mmCIF file of all heavy atoms in Angstrom:
data_model
loop_
_atom_site.group_PDB
_atom_site.id
_atom_site.type_symbol
_atom_site.label_atom_id
_atom_site.label_comp_id
_atom_site.label_asym_id
_atom_site.label_seq_id
_atom_site.Cartn_x
_atom_site.Cartn_y
_atom_site.Cartn_z
ATOM 1 N N THR A 535 13.027 -7.954 5.810
ATOM 2 C CA THR A 535 12.464 -6.691 5.322
ATOM 3 C C THR A 535 13.436 -5.541 5.551
ATOM 4 O O THR A 535 13.207 -4.426 5.085
ATOM 5 C CB THR A 535 11.144 -6.349 6.029
ATOM 6 O OG1 THR A 535 11.367 -6.398 7.439
ATOM 7 C CG2 THR A 535 10.059 -7.332 5.647
ATOM 8 N N PRO A 583 1.536 -3.018 -4.458
ATOM 9 C CA PRO A 583 2.411 -2.310 -3.518
ATOM 10 C C PRO A 583 2.977 -3.179 -2.401
ATOM 11 O O PRO A 583 3.981 -2.826 -1.801
ATOM 12 C CB PRO A 583 1.500 -1.230 -2.918
ATOM 13 C CG PRO A 583 0.343 -1.121 -3.838
ATOM 14 C CD PRO A 583 0.188 -2.458 -4.492
ATOM 15 N N SER A 584 2.331 -4.315 -2.096
ATOM 16 C CA SER A 584 2.829 -5.137 -0.988
ATOM 17 C C SER A 584 2.419 -6.587 -1.173
ATOM 18 O O SER A 584 1.471 -6.909 -1.905
ATOM 19 C CB SER A 584 2.260 -4.638 0.347
ATOM 20 O OG SER A 584 0.878 -4.951 0.416
ATOM 21 N N GLY A 585 3.120 -7.447 -0.450
ATOM 22 C CA GLY A 585 2.742 -8.855 -0.432
ATOM 23 C C GLY A 585 1.392 -9.060 0.222
ATOM 24 O O GLY A 585 0.603 -9.909 -0.192
ATOM 25 N N THR A 586 1.140 -8.283 1.250
ATOM 26 C CA THR A 586 -0.156 -8.383 1.931
ATOM 27 C C THR A 586 -1.289 -8.180 0.929
ATOM 28 O O THR A 586 -2.275 -8.921 0.921
ATOM 29 C CB THR A 586 -0.229 -7.330 3.060
ATOM 30 O OG1 THR A 586 0.828 -7.592 3.983
ATOM 31 C CG2 THR A 586 -1.558 -7.385 3.774
ATOM 32 N N MET A 587 -1.131 -7.184 0.059
ATOM 33 C CA MET A 587 -2.188 -6.928 -0.918
ATOM 34 C C MET A 587 -2.312 -8.089 -1.916
ATOM 35 O O MET A 587 -3.410 -8.394 -2.383
ATOM 36 C CB MET A 587 -1.963 -5.596 -1.636
ATOM 37 C CG MET A 587 -3.274 -5.015 -2.166
ATOM 38 S SD MET A 587 -3.084 -3.463 -3.078
ATOM 39 C CE MET A 587 -3.041 -2.278 -1.756
ATOM 40 N N ASN A 589 -1.991 -11.259 -1.169
ATOM 41 C CA ASN A 589 -2.868 -12.229 -0.504
ATOM 42 C C ASN A 589 -4.307 -11.748 -0.481
ATOM 43 O O ASN A 589 -5.236 -12.469 -0.844
ATOM 44 C CB ASN A 589 -2.408 -12.459 0.946
ATOM 45 C CG ASN A 589 -1.301 -13.499 1.061
ATOM 46 O OD1 ASN A 589 -1.097 -14.306 0.150
ATOM 47 N ND2 ASN A 589 -0.588 -13.478 2.169
ATOM 48 N N HIS A 610 0.916 -16.447 7.772
ATOM 49 C CA HIS A 610 1.022 -14.990 7.817
ATOM 50 C C HIS A 610 -0.337 -14.323 7.632
ATOM 51 O O HIS A 610 -0.707 -13.405 8.363
ATOM 52 C CB HIS A 610 1.988 -14.513 6.726
ATOM 53 C CG HIS A 610 2.404 -13.089 6.843
ATOM 54 N ND1 HIS A 610 1.610 -12.046 6.421
ATOM 55 C CD2 HIS A 610 3.521 -12.520 7.350
ATOM 56 C CE1 HIS A 610 2.239 -10.911 6.656
ATOM 57 N NE2 HIS A 610 3.401 -11.163 7.220
ATOM 58 N N ALA A 611 -1.111 -14.825 6.666
ATOM 59 C CA ALA A 611 -2.402 -14.200 6.358
ATOM 60 C C ALA A 611 -3.337 -14.244 7.560
ATOM 61 O O ALA A 611 -4.187 -13.366 7.743
ATOM 62 C CB ALA A 611 -3.044 -14.892 5.162
ATOM 63 N N GLU A 615 -1.874 -9.984 9.061
ATOM 64 C CA GLU A 615 -2.448 -9.117 8.033
ATOM 65 C C GLU A 615 -3.702 -8.425 8.570
ATOM 66 O O GLU A 615 -4.640 -8.123 7.840
ATOM 67 C CB GLU A 615 -2.674 -9.912 6.733
ATOM 68 C CG GLU A 615 -1.319 -10.369 6.180
ATOM 69 C CD GLU A 615 -1.357 -11.175 4.887
ATOM 70 O OE1 GLU A 615 -2.396 -11.223 4.216
ATOM 71 O OE2 GLU A 615 -0.300 -11.757 4.560
ATOM 72 N N GLU A 662 1.704 -21.456 2.143
ATOM 73 C CA GLU A 662 2.774 -20.464 2.320
ATOM 74 C C GLU A 662 4.124 -21.159 2.088
ATOM 75 O O GLU A 662 4.442 -22.135 2.759
ATOM 76 C CB GLU A 662 2.683 -19.921 3.749
ATOM 77 C CG GLU A 662 3.479 -18.691 4.026
ATOM 78 C CD GLU A 662 3.215 -18.205 5.460
ATOM 79 O OE1 GLU A 662 2.057 -17.870 5.803
ATOM 80 O OE2 GLU A 662 4.182 -18.169 6.239
ATOM 81 N N THR A 664 8.251 -20.109 1.295
ATOM 82 C CA THR A 664 8.497 -20.898 2.475
ATOM 83 C C THR A 664 7.503 -20.513 3.574
ATOM 84 O O THR A 664 6.918 -19.435 3.534
ATOM 85 C CB THR A 664 9.936 -20.654 3.017
ATOM 86 O OG1 THR A 664 10.061 -19.293 3.466
ATOM 87 C CG2 THR A 664 10.981 -20.901 1.959
ATOM 88 N N ASN A 666 6.907 -19.109 6.893
ATOM 89 C CA ASN A 666 7.635 -18.170 7.738
ATOM 90 C C ASN A 666 7.741 -18.671 9.190
ATOM 91 O O ASN A 666 8.840 -18.979 9.674
ATOM 92 C CB ASN A 666 6.912 -16.815 7.636
ATOM 93 C CG ASN A 666 7.543 -15.705 8.422
ATOM 94 O OD1 ASN A 666 8.359 -15.950 9.310
ATOM 95 N ND2 ASN A 666 7.190 -14.482 8.110
ATOM 96 N N ASP A 695 1.059 -18.142 -1.099
ATOM 97 C CA ASP A 695 1.759 -16.977 -0.558
ATOM 98 C C ASP A 695 3.248 -17.286 -0.733
ATOM 99 O O ASP A 695 3.826 -18.071 0.016
ATOM 100 C CB ASP A 695 1.382 -16.813 0.921
ATOM 101 C CG ASP A 695 2.210 -15.754 1.637
ATOM 102 O OD1 ASP A 695 3.310 -15.409 1.150
ATOM 103 O OD2 ASP A 695 1.762 -15.300 2.707
ATOM 104 N N ALA A 697 5.819 -15.171 -0.495
ATOM 105 C CA ALA A 697 6.649 -14.065 -0.003
ATOM 106 C C ALA A 697 8.129 -14.430 -0.120
ATOM 107 O O ALA A 697 8.954 -13.619 -0.527
ATOM 108 C CB ALA A 697 6.288 -13.721 1.435
ATOM 109 N N ARG A 698 8.444 -15.680 0.236
ATOM 110 C CA ARG A 698 9.837 -16.152 0.150
ATOM 111 C C ARG A 698 9.977 -17.334 -0.799
ATOM 112 O O ARG A 698 10.830 -18.197 -0.604
ATOM 113 C CB ARG A 698 10.370 -16.505 1.545
ATOM 114 C CG ARG A 698 10.488 -15.282 2.434
ATOM 115 C CD ARG A 698 11.128 -15.563 3.774
ATOM 116 N NE ARG A 698 11.116 -14.361 4.577
ATOM 117 C CZ ARG A 698 10.051 -13.894 5.232
ATOM 118 N NH1 ARG A 698 8.909 -14.558 5.192
ATOM 119 N NH2 ARG A 698 10.119 -12.769 5.919
ATOM 120 N N TRP A 721 2.370 -15.623 -5.808
ATOM 121 C CA TRP A 721 3.051 -14.320 -5.867
ATOM 122 C C TRP A 721 4.407 -14.400 -5.203
ATOM 123 O O TRP A 721 4.686 -15.298 -4.419
ATOM 124 C CB TRP A 721 2.203 -13.228 -5.224
ATOM 125 C CG TRP A 721 1.887 -13.390 -3.751
ATOM 126 C CD1 TRP A 721 0.821 -14.053 -3.222
ATOM 127 C CD2 TRP A 721 2.615 -12.853 -2.626
ATOM 128 N NE1 TRP A 721 0.846 -13.977 -1.843
ATOM 129 C CE2 TRP A 721 1.916 -13.246 -1.456
ATOM 130 C CE3 TRP A 721 3.777 -12.089 -2.511
ATOM 131 C CZ2 TRP A 721 2.363 -12.889 -0.182
ATOM 132 C CZ3 TRP A 721 4.220 -11.734 -1.233
ATOM 133 C CH2 TRP A 721 3.500 -12.137 -0.092
ATOM 134 N N ASP A 723 7.285 -11.795 -3.187
ATOM 135 C CA ASP A 723 7.527 -10.486 -2.582
ATOM 136 C C ASP A 723 8.840 -9.943 -3.128
ATOM 137 O O ASP A 723 9.801 -10.687 -3.281
ATOM 138 C CB ASP A 723 7.620 -10.616 -1.058
ATOM 139 C CG ASP A 723 7.068 -9.394 -0.355
ATOM 140 O OD1 ASP A 723 7.177 -8.292 -0.912
ATOM 141 O OD2 ASP A 723 6.518 -9.553 0.751
ATOM 142 N N SER A 725 10.197 -7.214 -1.572
ATOM 143 C CA SER A 725 10.814 -6.450 -0.479
ATOM 144 C C SER A 725 11.316 -7.317 0.668
ATOM 145 O O SER A 725 11.659 -6.816 1.723
ATOM 146 C CB SER A 725 9.825 -5.415 0.046
ATOM 147 O OG SER A 725 8.732 -6.054 0.668
ATOM 148 N N LYS A 726 11.380 -8.635 0.463
ATOM 149 C CA LYS A 726 12.024 -9.505 1.472
ATOM 150 C C LYS A 726 13.455 -9.745 0.988
ATOM 151 O O LYS A 726 14.188 -8.801 0.774
ATOM 152 C CB LYS A 726 11.212 -10.787 1.647
ATOM 153 C CG LYS A 726 9.770 -10.527 2.120
ATOM 154 C CD LYS A 726 9.639 -10.476 3.621
ATOM 155 C CE LYS A 726 8.348 -9.862 4.121
ATOM 156 N NZ LYS A 726 7.161 -10.707 4.012
ATOM 157 N N GLY A 733 6.931 -3.706 -2.797
ATOM 158 C CA GLY A 733 6.200 -4.409 -3.836
ATOM 159 C C GLY A 733 6.142 -5.912 -3.795
ATOM 160 O O GLY A 733 6.961 -6.591 -3.183
HETATM 161 C C1 PLP B 1146 6.050 -10.492 4.761
HETATM 162 C C2 PLP B 1146 5.049 -11.537 4.417
HETATM 163 C C3 PLP B 1146 3.843 -11.210 3.794
HETATM 164 C C4 PLP B 1146 3.439 -9.797 3.525
HETATM 165 O O1 PLP B 1146 4.292 -9.141 2.654
HETATM 166 P P1 PLP B 1146 4.474 -7.530 2.714
HETATM 167 O O2 PLP B 1146 5.173 -7.230 1.449
HETATM 168 O O3 PLP B 1146 5.264 -7.239 3.946
HETATM 169 O O4 PLP B 1146 3.098 -6.952 2.780
HETATM 170 C C5 PLP B 1146 2.981 -12.236 3.480
HETATM 171 N N1 PLP B 1146 3.288 -13.511 3.739
HETATM 172 C C6 PLP B 1146 4.433 -13.878 4.335
HETATM 173 C C7 PLP B 1146 4.720 -15.316 4.569
HETATM 174 C C8 PLP B 1146 5.343 -12.896 4.708
HETATM 175 O O5 PLP B 1146 6.471 -13.258 5.346
#
Side-chain angles (χ1 to χ4, degrees):
T535 53
S584 71
T586 300
M587 205 182 277
N589 276 341
H610 192 280
E615 296 180 13
E662 193 176 299
T664 65
N666 181 343
D695 172 340
R698 294 185 184 78
W721 62 271
D723 214 328
S725 67
K726 300 272 164 76

